[in-house]
């Protein structure tokens, strides 16, 4: 059994999933302070995109091939970018402070870096075409 197979059994072992779970909680708590008018707009988009990171890591871990897992990790990485974009917009609109933006974007950037490193490991398990 290669190292990837052990991760594909239990996504909860993955540090990237654990960190994305923590980030989701932090972002939800931050979004609770957005204006009520944003409930079905920016708040919804931000919360959906941050939850999507953990969900795609979990779903990808259930796949039987490294190639499929990698594809879900790419989607999760895209969701991380979306979260950062929504945070910037929230700051532009005055819903969060520059300090909050830097703090949360820093967490997103750290998670993104961890995900990219993990994706390199997964990619090494993808059979090369000859």
């Amino acid at each position: 059994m290669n190292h990837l197979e052990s991760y594909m059994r239990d996504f909860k072992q993955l540090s990237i999933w654990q960190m994305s779970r923590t980030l989701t909680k932090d972002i939800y708590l931050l979004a609770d302070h957005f204006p009520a008018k944003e409930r079905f707009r920016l708040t919804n988009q931000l919360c959906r995109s941050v939850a999507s990171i953990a969900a795609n890591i979990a779903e990808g871990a259930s796949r039987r091939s490294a190639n499929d897992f990698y594809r879900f990790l790419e989607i999760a990485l895209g969701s991380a970018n979306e979260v950062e974009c929504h945070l910037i917009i929230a700051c532009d609109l005055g819903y969060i402070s520059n300090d909050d933006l830097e703090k949360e974007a820093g967490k997103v950037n750290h998670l993104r870096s961890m995900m990219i490193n993990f994706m390199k490991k997964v990619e090494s398990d993808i059979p090369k075409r000859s």
Side-chain angles (χ1 to χ4, degrees):
M1 172 176 20
N2 62 29
H3 67 277
L4 178 63
E5 289 172 341
S6 65
Y7 291 130
M8 292 173 76
R9 278 195 233 128
D10 187 3
F11 64 88
K12 296 180 295 295
Q13 294 177 36
L14 296 171
S15 59
I16 58 172
W17 181 83
Q18 294 165 3
M19 186 170 185
S20 66
R21 181 179 171 205
T22 301
L23 179 66
T24 299
K25 179 183 171 189
D26 294 346
I27 295 294
Y28 267 65
L29 292 173
L30 186 66
D32 279 346
H33 301 289
F34 287 13
K37 69 180 182 179
E38 289 295 338
R39 183 173 172 203
F40 298 107
R41 300 187 310 194
L42 186 58
T43 304
N44 184 48
Q45 292 287 33
L46 178 59
C47 290
R48 286 171 58 99
S49 60
V50 75
S52 176
I53 299 169
N56 276 290
I57 293 167
E59 186 172 355
S62 73
R63 302 301 169 155
R64 293 188 181 261
S65 76
N67 197 38
D68 286 343
F69 192 11
Y70 189 87
R71 192 173 19 241
F72 278 90
L73 292 170
E74 285 180 316
I75 294 167
L77 189 60
S79 293
N81 288 342
E82 188 176 351
V83 169
E84 186 174 13
C85 177
H86 293 319
L87 288 170
I88 293 167
I89 292 168
C91 185
D92 290 346
L93 294 171
Y95 301 156
I96 63 173
S97 68
N98 283 326
D99 287 344
D100 285 335
L101 172 60
E102 287 182 28
K103 179 180 173 187
E104 298 308 319
K107 292 175 190 176
V108 173
N109 287 327
H110 181 67
L111 174 58
R112 200 169 25 227
S113 175
M114 290 173 60
M115 289 172 63
I116 289 168
N117 287 332
F118 183 73
M119 289 170 74
K120 289 175 184 175
K121 290 178 186 175
V122 172
E123 188 174 37
S124 71
D125 286 332
I126 297 172
K128 305 295 182 229
R129 294 182 182 180
S130 33

